[in-house]
Amino acid sequence: MARQLLITGATGTLGRALNRIAELRGLEHRVTTRAELDIAEPSSVQAALERSRPWAVINTAGYVRVADAEREPERCFRENTEGAVALAKLCARLGIPYVTFSSDLVFDGRLGRAYVETDPPSPACVYGASKAEAERQVLEIYPDALVVRTSAFFGPWDQYNFVYHTLSALASGHAVRACADCIISPTYVPDLVNAALDLLIDGETGIWHLANQGAVSWGEFARMAAERGGFDPDRIVLHGTERTPTSTALASVRGEMLPGLDSALDRFFKETEVPWVSETARPSR
């Protein structure tokens, strides 16, 4: 049998998307659950990699609940830092290409411009700190690893994203509150996954920023989604925060690989598998 691509995090948004797109691209692969591979347990990592001998490992597993991380820092660091590092150690030892995902939240948003790969991390929350420490240790242990920073991703194949929740609330007759002074780089999951696979196959290493081009506030993002979904964008209630406005938008000095946000949103509505979206919220243009 051909050697497989090993993908951790079978139940998460990125894990499911990688499973789907790897299949579409004809890549032999295997996606593991936590029961099959606990990334923060070195013996579990060793057993899984020695059993499957993959040609590459992509890590999508980890702790994703940003707000809850403030109450569960040990768990967050275990899953996001210790897990990513355990995989990096063994991949380095076995000479297996390795990809792990990081976040725009390794930055505090106070730089005054979009962040690029060479900007030093400055996390302002536990989740961001766990990702920043993972980056540092992974690249120290395995300089040839690929670390993909991304931001605020949304996709057509599950409901665990801001666009789905915005449209669902509007379809139910509710207004939506969204922050007007927190700038982000929304990222369409199919674009992200295809670009990450391209970088892996091309042998790229180090930190890469992958996000759709077009930084917006959460409020602007919600209004864009509402308009395309056929809803009144004025039902998006904009609000500020109690802190200084921030921007964790991502740009790249290595190469802009993803198309613009307008294109991504248009494709979301064409490709989404959420039933109520396909019936009531199609692009109006």
Side-chain angles (χ1 to χ4, degrees):
M1 291 181 62
R3 292 175 67 191
Q4 294 181 316
L5 170 65
L6 181 66
I7 302 164
T8 69
T11 61
T13 293
L14 283 182
R16 289 196 297 269
L18 272 158
N19 183 37
R20 179 186 293 250
I21 291 176
E23 184 172 340
L24 289 172
R25 291 176 63 151
L27 298 173
E28 293 285 343
H29 66 285
R30 177 187 174 205
V31 186
T32 62
T33 64
R34 180 175 297 185
E36 297 170 298
L37 171 54
D38 181 349
I39 63 170
E41 178 51 58
S43 62
S44 179
V45 172
Q46 183 169 345
L49 266 62
E50 290 182 347
R51 181 170 58 248
S52 60
R53 289 288 175 174
W55 65 266
V57 173
I58 301 181
N59 176 37
T60 75
Y63 190 102
V64 298
R65 300 185 304 279
V66 175
D68 290 347
E70 301 299 317
R71 300 188 299 273
E72 300 180 318
E74 291 184 3
R75 182 176 175 185
C76 179
F77 269 84
R78 180 186 186 276
E79 296 181 19
N80 286 350
T81 306
E82 294 176 26
V85 169
L87 284 165
K89 286 180 178 178
L90 195 56
C91 286
R93 197 179 83 193
L94 298 175
I96 298 172
Y98 174 53
V99 183
T100 193
F101 286 86
S102 189
S103 167
D104 61 325
L105 293 180
V106 300
F107 302 115
D108 62 12
R110 304 187 187 283
L111 185 62
R113 60 163 171 79
Y115 290 90
V116 297
E117 292 89 349
T118 52
D119 289 318
S122 55
C125 63
V126 169
Y127 176 85
S130 74
K131 288 294 191 178
E133 184 61 15
E135 290 180 4
R136 186 189 70 78
Q137 291 193 42
V138 164
L139 291 173
E140 183 177 276
I141 292 163
Y142 195 4
D144 288 335
L146 172 61
V147 176
V148 174
R149 287 189 188 134
T150 189
S151 169
F153 53 72
F154 67 102
W157 302 316
D158 66 45
Q159 60 184 279
Y160 304 108
N161 62 79
F162 179 76
V163 173
Y164 174 87
H165 288 298
T166 296
L167 297 171
S168 179
L170 293 172
S172 299
H174 301 294
V176 174
R177 286 175 54 82
C179 183
D181 54 12
C182 297
I183 309 300
I184 39 93
S185 293
T187 307
Y188 190 50
V189 169
D191 291 346
L192 169 64
V193 167
N194 275 304
L197 286 170
D198 290 343
L199 290 175
L200 169 63
I201 292 167
D202 288 346
E204 294 291 344
T205 63
I207 295 173
W208 275 81
H209 286 184
L210 295 182
N212 289 101
Q213 300 174 50
V216 294
S217 71
W218 286 108
E220 292 170 315
F221 189 31
R223 289 177 64 89
M224 292 171 73
E227 184 177 9
R228 281 169 171 77
F231 299 105
D232 181 358
D234 289 336
R235 290 173 59 195
I236 306 299
V237 179
L238 303 179
H239 67 90
T241 65
E242 296 179 355
R243 60 189 184 189
T244 304
T246 60
S247 172
T248 57
L250 298 178
S252 179
V253 293
R254 304 192 69 177
E256 298 286 359
M257 295 190 61
L258 274 62
L261 178 57
D262 285 326
S263 166
L265 273 170
D266 288 342
R267 284 179 286 120
F268 169 85
F269 284 102
K270 292 178 182 177
E271 299 167 3
T272 185
E273 295 180 354
V274 179
W276 64 261
V277 170
S278 63
E279 294 171 2
T280 65
R282 286 298 177 186
S284 57
R285 56 182 179 181

